[in-house]
Amino acid sequence: MPELTDEQRRAAREAYARLYAEWPAPVREALIDHHLASWRTSLRETENFETEVYGELRDGGPLPDVPLIVLSAGGVNPYWARFMPEEVMREAHDGVRALHAAIARSVPRGEHRVLDGASHQHLHIERPGEVLRAIRDLTAAV
C-alpha cells in the first residue's frame, strides 16, 4: 500500500479530531498520531481470516453456557456510505444485524443490543456508556 497523501492525512486527522473531540487534548493528539502512523495494522490483522481464523472458529466447538451480549451498530457505516448506494448499504447493515442477532440466539443466555446512531468502527467511542453497561451486565450475571 502506498503512503497516505497529505490530503488523506489531513482528512483523517480532521475526522479523528471530530471523533475524539471530547477527549483531553494531549490524549486526543497522541491517539490521532498513533492512528495515522499505524493505519496499515488493521489490513495486516485480517490477512489470515480466510486461511486460518475462520477455520479455527468453525472447528472450535459450541460456545460455553455463559452470558453473551452482542452489540450492533445501529448507525451508518461512514466508509460504506462513500461508495455504496443507500439501498445496498441498508441491506448490508440489516444483514450484519441479523448475523449478530443469530449469534446472540445461538446460546442460552445471549442478548442482542442495537446501539442507535453508533457506527461499527467507532461504537465503543460513540456509545461508551452502553459498552460499559453491557460489561457490567455480563459481570453481574456470572
Side-chain angles (χ1 to χ4, degrees):
M1 294 290 292
E3 290 297 321
L4 297 175
T5 66
D6 289 341
E7 181 181 351
Q8 289 170 320
R9 291 181 73 76
R10 263 192 313 278
R13 183 170 289 284
E14 289 170 9
Y16 283 126
R18 284 190 305 274
L19 181 65
Y20 301 122
E22 295 181 22
W23 294 41
V27 174
R28 179 178 55 245
E29 291 307 315
L31 190 55
I32 292 170
D33 289 344
H34 172 75
H35 278 298
L36 292 175
S38 62
W39 64 273
R40 287 185 175 96
T41 300
S42 64
L43 298 174
R44 287 191 302 272
E45 289 173 340
T46 62
E47 286 176 347
N48 67 344
F49 275 19
E50 295 290 337
T51 59
E52 296 176 41
V53 175
Y54 292 154
E56 289 177 12
L57 291 171
R58 278 189 293 277
D59 297 338
L63 293 173
D65 183 11
V66 296
L68 171 70
I69 298 174
V70 181
L71 301 177
S72 292
V76 172
N77 180 322
Y79 300 104
W80 291 356
R82 291 181 178 177
F83 62 87
M84 235 184 237
E86 188 174 328
E87 182 179 327
V88 173
M89 187 171 56
R90 186 174 35 256
E91 289 175 4
H93 283 123
D94 290 347
V96 169
R97 285 189 281 277
L99 170 66
H100 291 174
I103 292 169
R105 285 191 311 270
S106 74
V107 296
R109 294 187 280 166
E111 180 183 346
H112 181 222
R113 297 180 186 175
V114 178
L115 306 184
D116 292 334
S119 64
H120 176 76
Q121 294 84 350
H122 304 116
L123 180 147
H124 60 294
I125 296 165
E126 296 166 337
R127 297 292 185 272
E130 293 298 317
V131 173
L132 287 173
R133 185 169 73 90
I135 293 168
R136 288 183 182 120
D137 291 349
L138 287 172
T139 57
V142 175

